[in-house]
Amino acid sequence: MDRLRKRQIRFSVIYLIAGIFVLYLFQLLVAAPPVRRLAYSEFLAAVRAGELAEVNITSRELVGRLKDEPAKQRGARLIAATRLPGIDETPLVRELEAQNVKLTGTIEARSWWTDLLLWSFPLLLLFLLYGYGMWRVGQGPGGPLSLGKARAKIQDESSRNEVKFSDVAGVDEAKTELVEIVDFLKNPQKYQKLGGRIPKGVLLVGPPGTGKTLLAKAVAGEADVPFFSISGSEFVELFVGMGAARVRDLFEQAKQKAPCIVFIDEIDAIGKARSAGRGAVFGHDEREQTLNQLLVEMDGFDSTKGVVIMAATNTPEVLDPALLRAGRFDRQVVVDRPDLKGREEILQVHARKVKLAENVDLHTIAARTPGMVGADLANIINEAALLAARRGAEEVEQRDLEEAIDRVMLGLEKKSRCMSAEEKQRVAYHEAGHALVALSVEHADPVHRVSIIPRSIGALGHILQLPTQERYLLTKPELEDRIAVMLGGRGAEDIIYDGVVSTGASDDLQRASELARQMVTQFGMSEELGTLTYGVPAHQRFLAGPFAEAARNYSERTAQLIDEEVRRIIDSAYARVRKILRQRHEDLKRVTAELVRKETLERAELEALVGVPAPMAAAARKAPEERC
Ligand code: ADP
Ligand code: MG
Ligand code: ZN
């Protein structure tokens, strides 16, 4: 940071000097001895008064030198006036002749060297700046413009990285796969004796935040070897050709430090399939060169030296097949979202760093956070610690953790929004509508809370539904029920205010439409359109290049059918919502009144008001089992 500032200062100083130089040159070129400018008539008067000793007539002006009279010594001795266009100056010349004034003339033509200077100066300036930039570039690594050297962060030998496998939890399969790598790095001879080929490249694949980077570090930590890490996007910077140079440099360093681990984070930034985007407006030459160089380097060194390349990505499907073939990243380790047990373990790992109260039950917390990844869970523990600290408590308690979950899931509570009573009422109806539909349809997740306190930007309230168990698949009726819950808010407004609806439902509608469209185009859930997919799924869209239209692989007629089907799904869900809410009109009013009063209703309060929904009571009887 400090260095950057210094550079900036130096840079601006150089600009300043250049600017002053320019001004000085202009001064030299343009400025002349001081001249007093007069109007033409004043000049004539001066001539008539006989004050002039000499007059020089140029193509544009008259310049006169005053006679050397002591009285006139103070001001400028030259006076000038612009000639009047098209005026006959013969009388003036006669007058001057009569007074015996010395008469000269100048035809103004800029000398060739002035022209040359004026032309070449800007070029020269550009050239100097360019040269300066190049010189800066040549100053070696470290600076903002430094190129040529990979800025691979090398773990300092003295403070070897401390991450161990015990710091990573909930990804047991991945760990068992990586144990072998650790063993190889520790005693390579053991493997070489038998002539086996150790994998060169290990690709960690999984959603963001599941601990891929952490795992790579842990492998280095366990094996106690240096860890070179660089992010894919760091390769592709600034100038064409530099990415390839960086790859070369990275591998050079790694070979010297073997055994070691080279870790390329977010490899998709360089590893995208090479055909992608070809012929598009911006070519991807730079990325392709970098990728090619990476492929070459991976082929070029032999793994017996003890260099293992690890890489991480969350979009393996976009990677170039050449990267994944045997001999390169042939080993793929999936780092998936943790399950219930995994989440509990991750929570325990992070809870080591904070002081937990006796009553804390991490199992409950894990059960309440399906779908969350390691990074989220780490965040929850941290938030809880902060909340406890704010309370001034000694230990982190269960309620801190619960509140932390809400924060991580829904964002901060945005209290104290000033709303008119009328709007508040409407928001309450809206949220109560969501909640009641969720309580009425068969497949909705239980409603844990309904509130008219906004928790995300743009929203005016929220309902919190939590699944009873982890879901990996969703059936068609479940999706339809989801859509119904999303439409519940609008439905309630529609019924209560007699069709006078508000803008409050736009986000719900958007999500519902998107889901319905996916049902039709991606999940094959429409009888009309059959079990086909339409269009290119988002993660493959890059193949179609920047022209989105190419992502459409169906006819106009199908497009129309899709629209109709989406419409039908939404319409039938909405009809169902209206029916439910009309039947439970009284409940809707009761929940709304209570919501306006209390702002937030927890599950128990809600159930006390409207009763436990039948399907849920049934579900509660047959307790969910987790089996694999
Ligand atoms: P990724 O690289 O997969 O996006 P990271 O490895 O950067 O995720 O994880 C970010 C942080 O989340 C880690 O520093 C760690 O604190 C936490 N974390 C993620 N996964 C786990 C896990 N499986 N066990 C423990 N902590 C985890
Ligand atoms: Mg990462
Ligand atoms: Zn809503």
Side-chain angles (χ1 to χ4, degrees), residues 410-417 419 424 427-428 431 449-456 459-463 595 598-601:
L410 303 163
L412 281 185
E413 211 168 57
K414 300 188 178 52
K415 267 225 172 76
S416 78
R417 178 177 298 181
M419 242 193 282
K424 204 167 166 187
V427 173
E431 299 303 335
R449 179 189 317 130
V450 47
S451 168
I452 56 171
I453 296 169
R455 279 210 102 128
S456 57
L460 294 172
H462 69 272
I463 79 167
L595 250 185
K598 285 190 179 162
E599 297 206 323
T600 298
L601 298 178

Side-chain angles (χ1 to χ4, degrees), residues 167-171 207-215 265 346 349-350 374-375 378:
D167 295 316
V168 194
V171 283
T210 43
K212 299 181 292 297
T213 309
L214 194 66
L215 260 176
D265 213 348
I346 295 174
V349 165
H350 288 280

Side-chain angles (χ1 to χ4, degrees), residues 328-580:
R328 290 179 186 144
F329 289 107
D330 46 1
R331 195 155 301 193
Q332 300 194 16
V333 175
V334 176
V335 188
D336 216 345
R337 290 175 193 280
D339 57 8
L340 178 64
K341 191 166 138 283
R343 287 198 301 275
E344 191 175 341
E345 285 165 8
I346 295 174
L347 285 170
Q348 270 157 4
V349 165
H350 288 280
R352 288 195 302 232
K353 288 170 225 149
V354 300
K355 211 162 159 225
L356 289 188
E358 281 291 306
N359 69 351
V360 165
D361 177 12
L362 290 179
H363 181 82
T364 321
I365 301 298
R368 273 201 55 188
T369 49
M372 281 202 182
V373 293
D376 297 327
L377 297 169
N379 200 3
I380 285 179
I381 297 282
N382 187 48
E383 281 287 336
L386 294 182
L387 282 169
R390 190 169 319 154
R391 274 195 305 121
E394 293 284 292
E395 296 167 324
V396 176
E397 283 177 23
Q398 189 78 3
R399 59 179 162 142
D400 297 319
L401 287 161
E402 306 252 339
E403 171 64 18
I405 294 177
D406 287 353
R407 281 198 173 192
V408 172
M409 268 178 129
L410 303 163
L412 281 185
E413 211 168 57
K414 300 188 178 52
K415 267 225 172 76
S416 78
R417 178 177 298 181
C418 210
M419 242 193 282
S420 72
E422 220 168 292
E423 284 200 328
K424 204 167 166 187
Q425 179 94 3
R426 196 184 263 273
V427 173
Y429 271 120
H430 180 106
E431 299 303 335
H434 282 305
L436 267 185
V437 174
L439 288 169
S440 310
V441 294
E442 195 179 347
H443 302 289
D445 294 327
V447 181
H448 266 253
R449 179 189 317 130
V450 47
S451 168
I452 56 171
I453 296 169
R455 279 210 102 128
S456 57
I457 300 159
L460 294 172
H462 69 272
I463 79 167
L464 176 62
Q465 287 174 279
L466 291 177
T468 39
Q469 69 205 94
E470 235 124 320
R471 300 305 307 266
Y472 299 101
L473 294 172
L474 289 168
T475 61
K476 188 177 168 191
E478 283 165 343
L479 288 176
E480 285 168 346
D481 281 355
R482 270 192 189 195
I483 292 179
V485 174
M486 290 174 194
L487 296 175
R490 165 54 69 93
E493 283 187 62
D494 195 354
I495 285 174
I496 298 291
Y497 295 99
D498 251 343
V500 183
V501 291
S502 75
T503 54
S506 85
D507 192 45
D508 298 334
L509 300 187
Q510 195 182 340
R511 284 192 303 141
S513 316
E514 179 62 24
L515 184 50
R517 189 164 289 271
Q518 276 185 313
M519 285 172 68
V520 175
T521 61
Q522 303 301 321
F523 309 146
M525 287 182 177
S526 148
E527 268 145 44
E528 196 72 23
L529 285 154
T531 42
L532 290 177
T533 65
Y534 297 93
V536 183
H539 66 260
Q540 283 170 14
R541 224 163 259 162
F542 77 96
L543 285 171
F547 306 107
E549 202 53 30
R552 219 179 83 171
N553 57 3
Y554 43 81
S555 66
E556 279 304 323
R557 203 179 80 82
T558 312
Q560 199 173 346
L561 274 180
I562 290 174
D563 291 343
E564 279 163 21
E565 276 296 282
V566 172
R567 178 77 202 260
R568 200 187 52 73
I569 292 175
I570 297 282
D571 281 353
S572 85
Y574 194 54
R576 215 147 48 91
V577 165
R578 285 174 54 104
K579 191 164 154 234
I580 291 169

